[in-house]
Each structure stands twice: as C-alpha cells, then as structure tokens.
Amino acid sequence: MRSEPVLELQQLSHVYVNEKGASLAVERIELTVERGEFISLVGPSGCGKTTVLSLLAGLFPPTKGQVLLNGERVVGPSPKVGYMLQQDYLFPWRSIKENAAIGLEISGRKTEKSLQAVEKLLYELGLPDSSQKYPHELSGGMRQRVALARTLATEPEVLLLDEPFSALDLHIKLQLEDLVHQTLKRLGKTAVLVTHDLAEAAAMSDRVIVLGRNPGHIRREVVIPEDVRLASPMAARKLPGFQELFERLWLELDKEDNEGGKLGG
Ligand code: ADP
Ligand code: MG
C-alpha cells in the first residue's frame, strides 16, 4: 500500500487553563493519517476528541508537540482543512446556494466558475432543486447535506467531522453515512470523524482509534478488515464479520470504563 502521510500528530499534549486552574486534556497523542484514509476517533465523553480535532484544525496551538499537514507545521486554520459539525449553522437569511458558497466568499474565491461547482455539488449530494430555497424549507438531513456541500466547496484536502450525524433520525443518518463515505472516497479526501457510535465508526472507517480519558490518550488502534472497508457503510453492517468487529470495539471501550480513571492502558 502506498503511504503518504497527510496529517502527523506528534506527541500532542494539550492543557486547558481557566479560572479553576489547569487541566491536561490530552497527553502524547501520536498518529499518522495517510492520504485518502478515513479515520474515526471514538471514546468516552471528555476523552479529548474535540480537542484533537481543534488542534488538527489549527484553532489553537497544542501545549506540547505539533501537527504536520503535508509535512508542514500547522500554526492556524488553513483552507486545506474543512470542519463539519453536529449543528449545521446555516444562515437562515441566505439561500442554500449562498450558504454553500460562504466559504468561497470569505476566502475571496467566489467566482462564476466556483458557483457552478457549488451547484454541481448540491446536485451530487442529492439537493438538485434546493439551491434557491432557504434553510427552514429543508429537513435536518438535507441541511446536513448543505453543510457538507459548504465544507467541500472550498476543496479542502482534509475533512474533520465532529459527530455530524448524531442529531439525525436513524434512517437519515444511515443514508447520510453512505453519501458522505461515497463522496469522500470519490474525491479522494482524507477524513477524521469523531463519533460515539461504534457501528458508525466501524462501518465508515479504514481505522478506528480508541481513546481513553484522564487524560485523553490513545488506547488502541483497530484496523478495519478489507471487506468492511470496501463496502458502503450500509452494506458493511450486513457483512458476517461486522458484529464481531463491533464487539471488539465495544470491549475496548468497556475496558476503559472499568479502568476507574487510572492512567495508561
Ligand atoms: P470529547 O470531545 O471527547 O468529549 P473534549 O475534547 O471536549 O472531549 O474535552 C476533553 C477534556 O478537556 C474534558 O475534560 C473537558 O472538560 C476539557 N475541556 C474541553 N474544552 C475545554 C475548555 N475550553 N476549557 C477547559 N477545559 C476544557
Ligand atoms: Mg466532543
């Protein structure tokens, strides 16, 4: 397999400082993500998943260690990295097309051509007749598709996805998992997904990183078997080995909960 690191997390540690004092959120996170890879971060609430994504996005610098993007140190937000959240944060007064184009507008890249690309994206994401509509006219699942179009419109190399499906009804969530998986693979994007849904992590990823807490650290890395990886998330769930894979991940997390806050693994 070709190996070309896009993201390198090197000995990342982060301490939050506030009026209550200092707390170590994540400690010595070491991880390499290859181009085109789909990685999931799973772990109990408070284990540092969002902190790691924020560091990858360059929202604030790590207390120790560094993040490399294509071999270069991340020192702030970059157009090469797109972020998609649980909430869609669409502007109610802007049309769907104007919402999807906002990143282009902010970065001064809104042109006739890039707007055509936005229309195409909306079409490909199953929103062919929505571009002139407004957010309130769309369902939750459709709004998340717009959020995905908005993220993809600026053509980031890396997508950071923080629980983007968790507010959706189950069948919409499953449809959207398939759509996101298919779209990112087709475009050759690298993705880091945070989810507390182990089945989602197993069905969508090439690798699942299990984090533990107090402080956040990597407990285990589970490489997803090829048949599951090659199937769409929906089809993957029906494969014979899927339940076993799910149970393996479950066991890793369960171990963590029985750890009683002890350090290490
Ligand atoms: P997760 O996304 O896995 O739930 P977070 O990255 O949000 O975890 O949080 C990791 C730890 O850092 C938690 O203990 C949380 O309370 C703490 N934390 C997160 N954000 C802040 C902040 N802005 N200030 C202080 N502590 C924070
Ligand atoms: Mg979080």
Side-chain angles (χ1 to χ4, degrees), residues 16 18 23 25 44-51:
Y16 286 107
N18 57 26
S23 72
S45 174
C47 72
K49 303 181 294 295
T50 298
T51 302

Side-chain angles (χ1 to χ4, degrees), residues 16-18 23-26 43-52 60 162 194 211 214:
Y16 286 107
V17 181
N18 57 26
S23 72
L24 180 59
V26 294
S45 174
C47 72
K49 303 181 294 295
T50 298
T51 302
V52 171
F60 45 78
D162 199 349
V194 163
L211 299 175
N214 299 320

Side-chain angles (χ1 to χ4, degrees), residues 177-239:
E177 280 176 19
D178 264 20
L179 181 70
V180 169
H181 183 265
Q182 178 206 332
T183 305
L184 299 192
K185 287 292 173 197
R186 178 169 56 85
L187 300 173
K189 304 289 183 193
T190 307
V192 182
L193 169 73
V194 163
T195 177
H196 59 249
D197 180 339
L198 295 181
E200 178 173 294
M204 293 193 77
S205 315
D206 300 312
R207 257 191 303 156
V208 178
I209 312 298
V210 182
L211 299 175
R213 64 182 152 191
N214 299 320
H217 61 281
I218 295 182
R219 278 190 61 85
R220 193 75 74 228
E221 192 180 300
V222 177
V223 176
I224 303 301
E226 193 171 19
D227 58 336
V228 175
R229 253 178 13 225
L230 294 179
S232 74
M234 195 117 51
R237 284 180 160 80
K238 297 179 191 127
L239 291 172

Side-chain angles (χ1 to χ4, degrees), residues 11-102:
Q11 296 293 310
L12 269 192
S13 297
H14 193 70
V15 175
Y16 286 107
V17 181
N18 57 26
E19 61 282 2
K20 285 187 231 137
S23 72
L24 180 59
V26 294
E27 188 174 42
R28 277 189 254 139
I29 304 280
E30 183 86 22
L31 180 69
T32 299
V33 185
E34 309 292 337
R35 187 167 302 284
E37 228 187 343
F38 197 116
I39 296 276
S40 287
L41 304 179
V42 300
S45 174
C47 72
K49 303 181 294 295
T50 298
T51 302
V52 171
L53 281 198
S54 305
L55 294 171
L56 294 182
L59 300 185
F60 45 78
T63 309
K64 271 194 187 158
Q66 60 179 0
V67 178
L68 302 183
L69 172 64
N70 296 326
E72 282 178 36
R73 188 175 187 151
V74 170
V75 290
S78 153
K80 289 181 183 151
V81 179
Y83 215 137
M84 186 175 164
L85 304 166
Q86 181 180 342
Q87 283 202 344
D88 53 59
Y89 295 109
L90 299 179
F91 291 118
W93 60 87
R94 295 181 75 129
S95 71
I96 295 310
K97 186 175 170 181
E98 288 169 336
N99 264 291
I102 195 152

